[in-house]
Amino acid sequence: MINYFLNLTPIWQALIAGCFTFLVTSLGAAVVFVFKSVNKNIMDSMLAISAGIMLSASFFSLLNPAVEIAEELNLKVWLVVFIGIIFGGILLYAGDKLLEFLSKNKDSGSLSLRRCAMLFTSITLHNIPEGLVVGVAFGAIAYGIDNATVFAAISLTIGIAIQNFPEGSAISLPLRREGLSRFKSFMFAMLSGIVEPIAAVIGALLVMKIQIILPFILSFAAGAMIFVISMELIPESQSNKKKDLMAFLTLLGFSIMMVLEIVLG
């Protein structure tokens, strides 16, 4: 199975990886069929570890290759990386502002169609750049860059998938509490992740077809990921009473990913 995956083209690898992250989102959403709530310590621990993994992957799997490729293409490395990171953050910032705008218009009573759409749109906006990140990581493999390996792309995918599990349940459980049926709550949460495999394929196609934009796209993906980490994952995990433990788990996630990247990447 592993050999079969390794022999696939980056496009197919990106599609499978995107489907995997979508599946994990769906598994998280399916928690609504079993529990009324999920232990906060478990959820926060998953987010903390995921933050560390994704932060490490942002540097080793995205920014490192971006710098290397920009140098090979004789581009202004600092400018390309800076613009990419900032624009990646701007995309997520715009998504949050859209959410704020929609939330001002939500009904105060029972859950309305508008509020359902707000929750769905919010998570979907975050899942699009996550899917692009996966696709970019696999698409970069086609250029034979030292730091852009299948293992690095798989590790990145796993980091994103880990945080998708609590994300899926974070949608389905509140929707259930607001009065939606378990099935509808599950469907809303599950469909929020359907954009990830689509975005993954688009990301892979972009970097494979237009090499000169590769360092920018890699930096863009890193910026989007760092924004998600600093805006959502770390603050949410630090809302736990055991802040020091959550910080250590973030450090542990980063260290594990770093060691794997150095030893096996």
Side-chain angles (χ1 to χ4, degrees):
M1 181 66 72
I2 297 296
N3 288 333
Y4 175 77
F5 179 80
L6 294 177
N7 291 326
L8 292 173
T9 64
I11 300 297
W12 280 104
Q13 290 174 339
L15 176 61
I16 293 172
C19 288
F20 173 69
T21 59
F22 166 62
L23 175 62
V24 176
T25 299
S26 301
L27 290 175
V31 166
V32 74
F33 291 114
V34 183
F35 304 104
K36 292 183 178 179
S37 62
V38 180
N39 185 279
K40 179 172 173 57
N41 289 331
I42 295 176
M43 299 286 272
D44 291 343
S45 296
M46 291 180 66
L47 291 174
I49 292 173
S50 179
I53 291 174
M54 291 170 66
L55 187 60
S56 182
S58 296
F59 176 76
F60 290 102
S61 300
L62 298 174
L63 290 178
N64 249 2
V67 170
E68 183 178 334
I69 298 167
E71 289 176 343
E72 291 179 357
L73 296 174
N74 295 318
L75 302 174
K76 287 188 178 296
V77 178
W78 67 268
L79 183 61
V80 170
V81 174
F82 175 80
I83 292 175
I85 290 175
I86 295 301
F87 271 84
I90 288 175
L91 175 65
L92 272 296
Y93 178 79
D96 282 335
K97 288 303 177 183
L98 176 60
L99 172 59
E100 286 182 17
F101 174 76
L102 291 173
S103 64
K104 291 179 181 178
N105 300 314
K106 68 181 181 181
D107 296 341
S108 57
S110 61
L111 189 66
S112 64
L113 180 61
R114 179 182 297 169
R115 191 170 179 187
C116 289
M118 180 194 70
L119 289 171
F120 178 81
T121 301
S122 169
I123 300 302
T124 300
L125 285 171
H126 287 294
N127 284 338
I128 291 174
E130 288 176 4
L132 286 172
V133 166
V134 171
V136 166
F138 281 99
I141 297 170
Y143 296 103
I145 306 162
D146 290 340
N147 293 307
T149 64
V150 174
F151 172 78
I154 291 175
S155 301
L156 189 63
T157 301
I158 292 173
I160 291 175
I162 290 174
Q163 65 96 26
N164 276 4
F165 185 89
E167 187 176 83
S169 59
I171 306 172
S172 61
L173 292 174
L175 289 175
R176 174 58 179 164
R177 284 197 298 268
E178 291 286 353
L180 261 67
S181 67
R182 294 182 188 275
F183 179 74
K184 287 184 177 180
S185 299
F186 167 75
M187 289 301 295
F188 266 102
M190 181 191 71
L191 290 176
S192 70
I194 195 65
V195 295
E196 290 203 5
I198 299 172
V201 171
I202 293 174
L205 284 170
L206 279 174
V207 298
M208 290 182 68
K209 297 298 182 181
I210 314 174
Q211 183 179 10
I212 197 166
I213 70 168
L214 180 55
F216 172 79
I217 294 294
L218 287 168
S219 303
F220 178 90
M225 186 177 293
I226 293 171
F227 188 93
V228 171
I229 294 167
S230 59
M231 182 72 178
E232 295 185 3
L233 303 188
I234 291 179
E236 182 64 28
S237 65
Q238 283 296 303
S239 67
N240 193 284
K241 293 180 180 179
K242 301 178 181 178
K243 295 180 183 293
D244 52 351
L245 176 60
M246 296 302 115
F248 178 78
L249 289 176
T250 298
L251 183 64
L252 179 64
F254 183 96
S255 300
I256 291 174
M257 180 69 178
M258 176 188 67
V259 171
L260 291 175
E261 286 279 6
I262 294 173
V263 174
L264 302 177

